[in-house]
Structures are given as C-alpha cells and as structure tokens.
C-alpha cells in the first residue's frame, strides 16, 4: 500500500530508487500544461456535449413532456454549476494541504468516469441530475488543482499566457462540445456521443498518471527543462560544484570584483566559519514571522478582503453567465426560428468558438500590458452585439448571416476577458504574500484562490442558463438579448476601477509590479491597494 501511495504522489519508494522513465519530459512545462489543458477540456467537453442532445434525449429516454423540456434543460445545466459552486472551495483547501497535486487530479478523474457512465445509461431525470452533479464535482477538482499546479510550474511572469491556453481549452470545450454532440447524435445515435466521452477519459487517464510535479522531480536533481537524464558522472560533478559553491559563497569579494565569480575566491580554512556564515545567511533570507493576528484566519478569508480579488471574481462570474447563457436557449431558438435539427443546433456554436483561439495571444498581452483594459474592452465591446441579437426574428438567409456574425463578434469579446482575469488572481495571491511573507505557509494559497475562481465561474454557469431560459420564456428573445447586454456592462464597471490595482495609481509595467498593484517603490505603500 505504501508503494502504491508513493506511486500516486510521485515520490521515491526508497533512497536508491532510480528516476522514473522520461522524468524530464513528464515534469516539463509543456507536458504539465498539456495535461491540465486536456483535463479542463475533457471536463468542460462532457459538460457541453449533451447540450444539443438533451432536447431530444429528455423526451425519448426520460419520458419528459415536450412542454417541460426547456425547464429541465435549464435545471440540468444549473445543477452542474451548483456542484461547482459547492465543491470548489473544499477542493482548493484540500489541494493546498495535500503533499501532491496529482492525487486530487486522479480523484476528479474517477468521479468524471462515474458521471459519464451514469449519463450514458440514465433513463430517468433523477439519474441525469446525479450524473450532472458528479460532473460538477469533478470539474471543481480539476480546475482548482490544475490551475494551482500551473502557477507552481511557471510562476507569475508567464501566468497570463499559460492560463490563456487553459482558457482556450475551456472555450473550445464549451463551444465545440455542442457542435460535435449534435453532429454525432444525428449521424450515429445517442451512445456514439458517449463513445467520444470515454475516449477522452482514456486519454486523460494516461496523461494524469504520467504527470510528475516539478517539486517531486527535484528529488532526483534532474534538469527537467532539458528533457535529458544526466549520467552518474554528471551527478557527481553537480554535487561537487554545490559543495564548492557552498564554501566559496561565504567569502565576500575583497577587491571589488564580481561576487558571482566564485572560482577566484578562496575557501575558508576553518569549517566552523562556513557553518556559522551559512546559518547567518539562512536566517537573513528566511521570511519574517507571520503575525499571530493574521495566522489565525483561513487563507480564504484574507483573500476575500482584497478588493482586487473580489472584482476579479465578479468579472469571472459575469463571464461565466454570458458564456453559458446560450446553452439553454440557442439550440431551441434556431430549431424554432430556422427549423434546424441537432446538427444545426450544434453548428451555430461554431461562430462563438472560433475567436477563442485568440486566448493565448490575449494572455500574452495581459502579461505585457496588464489585465485591466483587455478585460474592460471585452465586456464593453460585447454590449452592442448582445442588444443587436434582438433583430433576429424570422427565417431568412440574411437573418442567418446576421445571427452568425453577431455570435462571432460576441465570441471575440468573450475571449478578451477570461485570460486577464485568471492571471489577476495569481497577482493578488502574490501581493498578499509580499504584504506578509509566509502568511500562507509552505504550500501557499493558489489552489484556494483558484477554488474561489471556480466558485465564481460556477455561480455564473448557474445564473446564465436560468437567466436566459427564464427571460426568454417570460418576455421573449428580444428582451433576453438586451438584458444580457446590461449584464456585460455590470461586469465592466468594477473592473475598470480595481483590476490590476486601483485605477488612480500609476500603471504597473512588470509582472512583479502588477502583483502589488503599481510600480515598485522603496516603501510598502503599494501593497495596500489589494
């Protein structure tokens, strides 16, 4: 049992264990990023693949009356969001206290497999609801732990671009899943839709079992960036260099030469001098103790005191609502207005999906220029196109073109928002750490912060389908579209003030400055902006 636990955690079985096969590649940024992107894509893909199938499957398999189909679609989509909302804070808390990020990822995978089996075989509404709940629990674990693992891997300087790929995976899953679900269901039937799901789960299993965290890879002192395994001679040479540097670094430069030129410095003859100097350096570099007042509070509470974080969570909730609002209304709208079948109901999501390929580029721009204006531009850019959707009212070629153009422009706006806000969460955690070093312990609080992110996004996925479905049923398509435009405006207003730091302060130019909300100064005043 102990060996099995060590295998799951990626730890050595004993002190003489050789490095795992392909350790350098399995612990590389590329492999870890690919694994997390596939995990997020798989979870969200299985969320969305049954969207165009539900209107047909509910009536044919679960015996739901046609008049109740719209209501049950909204309920099944909202149940997923409710599970995300409840589970994500606990997933973040557990991940920050777990010795390995990989174990929670595997637990989430098992839950996802069980949910998929339930949804595949369900012939009642109760089983469909249970399957959606398990899907939501799985997604909460994967998103929370996965994004924290990425921060552990790449740090804050590249986090915007890195999370841009995660946002791309999320967008592709949300928008491509209904497309493929409709096509496969229409061409090959109900079970064929789930064959795709099981294939993705199999791929996900292979990647998650293969992943090795960088902190685990360091046990073998391997240069995992270079994808190569060192020889035993290399290991001895590296160890000798470390011993030499440990002694040489204790001698200050006497002649004004570069302190980094260690080879020219003599080693002290007295070993006690090395030990005492090393101890002084260790104490000088160690963070100051955390005050007892702050350490009594859970990390989640101290994070929620940040106005920057609350603003990011608000924007993410609005973004989640806007991204999922179409899921409960668009398939039925095009079916009723244009007479499209499940293929058409899936293909219409393609217009929103294509702009999501801009997400990595937007993440790069966020790393370079900051998150504020990209986020605000995305929310404001979408407003007129949400309102103009009310002009689509009847079946004609012009109306079909208008619908797809407006959906594509909304897709561009949605792509501008998510990567900057995801990076902003990392900046806030960094700012809290700079304010009081060591306040979150050795494990940090990234998983809990991204647990709040998932919680906010889940609240959006809970609000969006119900909002859109209810307003369309009660007041019509036109009212629904302009109400979503107002929702987008509500997302922009707080972000223009607080995202990236208080707007009245000078703009930050680097990742370190964005972490504290403004240019680095000799004093600590900038930290107060969080």
């Amino acid at each position: 049992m102990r060996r099995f636990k060590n295998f799951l955690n990626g730890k050595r079985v004993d002190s003489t264990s050789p490095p795992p096969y392909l350790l350098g590649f399995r612990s590389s940024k590329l492999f870890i990023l690919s694994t997390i992107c596939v995990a997020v894509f798989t979870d969200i893909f299985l969320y969305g693949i049954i969207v165009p199938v539900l209107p047909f499957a509910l009536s044919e398999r679960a015996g739901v009356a046609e008049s109740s189909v719209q209501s049950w679609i909204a309920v099944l989509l909202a149940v997923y969001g409710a599970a995300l909302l409840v589970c994500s804070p606990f997933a973040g808390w557990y991940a920050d206290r777990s010795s390995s990020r990989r174990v929670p990822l595997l637990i989430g995978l098992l839950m996802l497999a069980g949910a998929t089996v339930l949804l595949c075989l369900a012939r009642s509404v109760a089983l469909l609801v249970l399957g959606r709940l398990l899907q939501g629990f799985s997604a909460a674990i994967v998103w929370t732990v996965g994004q924290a693992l990425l921060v552990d891997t790449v740090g804050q300087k590249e986090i915007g671009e890195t999370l841009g790929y995660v946002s791309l995976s999320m967008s592709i899953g949300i928008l491509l899943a209904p497309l493929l679900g409709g096509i496969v269901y229409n061409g090959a039937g109900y079970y064929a839709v789930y064959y795709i799901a099981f294939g993705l789960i199999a791929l996900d299993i292979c990647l998650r079992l293969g992943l090795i965290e960088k902190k685990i890879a360091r046990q073998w002192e391997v240069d995992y960036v270079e994808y190569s395994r060192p020889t035993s001679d290399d290991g001895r040479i590296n160890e000798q260099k470390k011993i030499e540097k440990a002694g040489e670094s204790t001698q200050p430069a006497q002649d004004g030469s570069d302190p980094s030129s260690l080879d020219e410095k003599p080693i002290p003859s007295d070993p006690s001098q090395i030990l005492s100097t090393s101890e002084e350096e260790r104490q000088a570099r160690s963070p100051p103790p955390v005050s007892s007042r702050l350490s009594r509070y859970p990390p989640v509470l101290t994070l929620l005191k940040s106005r920057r974080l609350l603003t990011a969570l608000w924007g993410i909730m609005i973004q989640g609502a806007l991204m999922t609002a179409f899921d409960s209304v668009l398939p039925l709208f095009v079916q009723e207005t244009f007479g499209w079948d499940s293929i058409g109901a899936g293909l219409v999501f393609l217009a929103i999906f294509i702009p999501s390929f801009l997400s990595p580029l937007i993440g790069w721009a966020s790393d370079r220029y900051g998150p504020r204006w990209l986020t605000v531009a995305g929310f404001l850019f979408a407003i007129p196109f949400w309102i103009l959707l009310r002009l689509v009212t009847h079946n004609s070629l012009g109306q079909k073109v208008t619908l797809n153009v407006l959906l594509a422009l909304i897709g561009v706006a949605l792509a501008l928002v998510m990567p900057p806000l995801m990076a902003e969460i990392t900046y806030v955690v960094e700012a809290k750490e700079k304010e009081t070093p060591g306040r979150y312990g050795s494990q940090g609080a990234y998983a809990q912060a991204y647990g709040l992110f998932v919680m906010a996004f889940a609240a959006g996925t809970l609000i969006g389908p119900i909002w859109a479905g209810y307003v369309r049923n009660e007041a019509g398509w036109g009212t629904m579209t302009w109400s979503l435009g107002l929702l987008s405006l509500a997302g922009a207003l707080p972000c223009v003030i607080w995202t990236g730091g208080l707007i009245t302060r000078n703009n930050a130019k680097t990742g370190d400055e964005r972490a504290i909300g403004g240019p680095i100064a000799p004093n600590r005043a900038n930290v107060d902006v969080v």
Side-chain angles (χ1 to χ4, degrees), residues 71-93:
S71 298
W72 277 112
I73 290 175
V75 168
L76 289 174
L77 295 175
V79 160
Y80 176 90
L84 269 175
L85 186 67
V86 172
C87 186
S88 53
F90 298 101
W93 177 86

Side-chain angles (χ1 to χ4, degrees), residues 39 72 151 256 284 295 310 350 365-366 391 433 472 502 504:
W72 277 112
V151 177
S295 61
L310 291 175
L350 190 62
S366 176
L391 301 178
E433 284 282 5
R472 180 172 181 259
L502 186 62
T504 56

Side-chain angles (χ1 to χ4, degrees), residues 195-440:
Y195 296 156
I196 299 176
F198 289 123
L200 281 173
I201 290 175
L203 173 62
D204 209 352
I205 290 174
C206 295
L207 291 175
R208 293 196 205 186
L209 288 176
L211 182 146
I212 298 177
E213 299 172 54
K214 287 199 169 187
K215 66 180 181 181
I216 303 299
R218 293 191 182 101
Q219 294 176 101
W220 288 275
E221 298 180 352
V222 173
D223 187 359
Y224 35 77
V225 177
E226 291 298 335
Y227 296 6
S228 62
R229 184 178 303 183
T231 64
S232 57
D233 290 339
D234 292 336
R236 286 195 295 269
I237 292 171
N238 289 337
E239 186 66 25
Q240 181 64 28
K241 287 181 177 179
K242 290 179 182 178
I243 295 173
E244 292 173 359
K245 289 181 180 178
E248 292 169 355
S249 61
T250 60
Q251 281 292 327
Q254 302 293 332
D255 55 356
S257 59
D258 184 0
S260 63
S261 303
L262 299 175
D263 293 338
E264 300 177 2
K265 298 173 188 165
I267 301 176
S269 58
D270 184 3
S272 63
Q273 182 181 352
I274 299 176
L275 295 177
S276 61
T277 307
S278 299
E279 178 66 18
E280 291 175 1
E281 289 181 351
R282 186 189 65 79
Q283 293 178 357
R285 292 174 182 174
S286 62
V290 183
S291 68
S292 58
R293 180 180 65 85
L294 289 174
S295 61
R296 290 199 302 266
Y297 298 102
V300 169
L301 295 182
T302 59
L303 288 171
L304 287 175
K305 291 172 62 178
S306 166
R307 286 165 286 186
R308 283 178 65 187
L309 181 68
L310 291 175
T311 299
L313 296 179
W314 171 259
I316 287 165
M317 184 185 70
I318 299 298
Q319 173 79 345
L322 295 174
M323 288 181 70
T324 56
F326 281 130
D327 290 347
S328 64
V329 295
L330 194 57
L332 284 176
F333 175 76
V334 297
Q335 182 184 19
E336 295 171 1
T337 306
F338 304 137
W340 290 352
D341 57 11
S342 60
I343 293 181
L347 285 171
V348 73
F349 285 90
L350 190 62
I352 315 172
F353 151 70
I354 292 176
S356 62
F357 282 100
L358 297 172
S359 294
L361 179 61
I362 294 167
W364 171 85
S366 176
D367 284 335
R368 187 175 179 86
Y369 302 108
R372 174 183 284 116
W373 299 116
L374 287 169
T375 301
V376 173
F379 280 129
L380 295 181
F381 182 70
I383 293 174
F385 307 119
W386 283 112
I387 297 173
L388 289 174
L389 279 174
R390 65 186 287 112
L391 301 178
V392 181
T393 56
H394 59 275
N395 187 5
S396 70
L397 178 61
Q399 292 276 280
K400 295 173 184 176
V401 171
T402 299
L403 175 65
N404 282 279
V405 169
L406 291 174
L407 291 178
L409 292 171
I410 290 173
V412 172
L414 293 176
L416 287 171
V417 174
M418 186 61 78
L421 287 181
M422 293 169 73
E424 175 73 350
I425 292 177
T426 301
Y427 297 146
V428 171
V429 178
E430 290 284 339
K432 290 292 185 181
E433 284 282 5
K434 291 179 186 297
E435 179 183 291
T436 310
R439 73 188 307 167
Y440 300 132

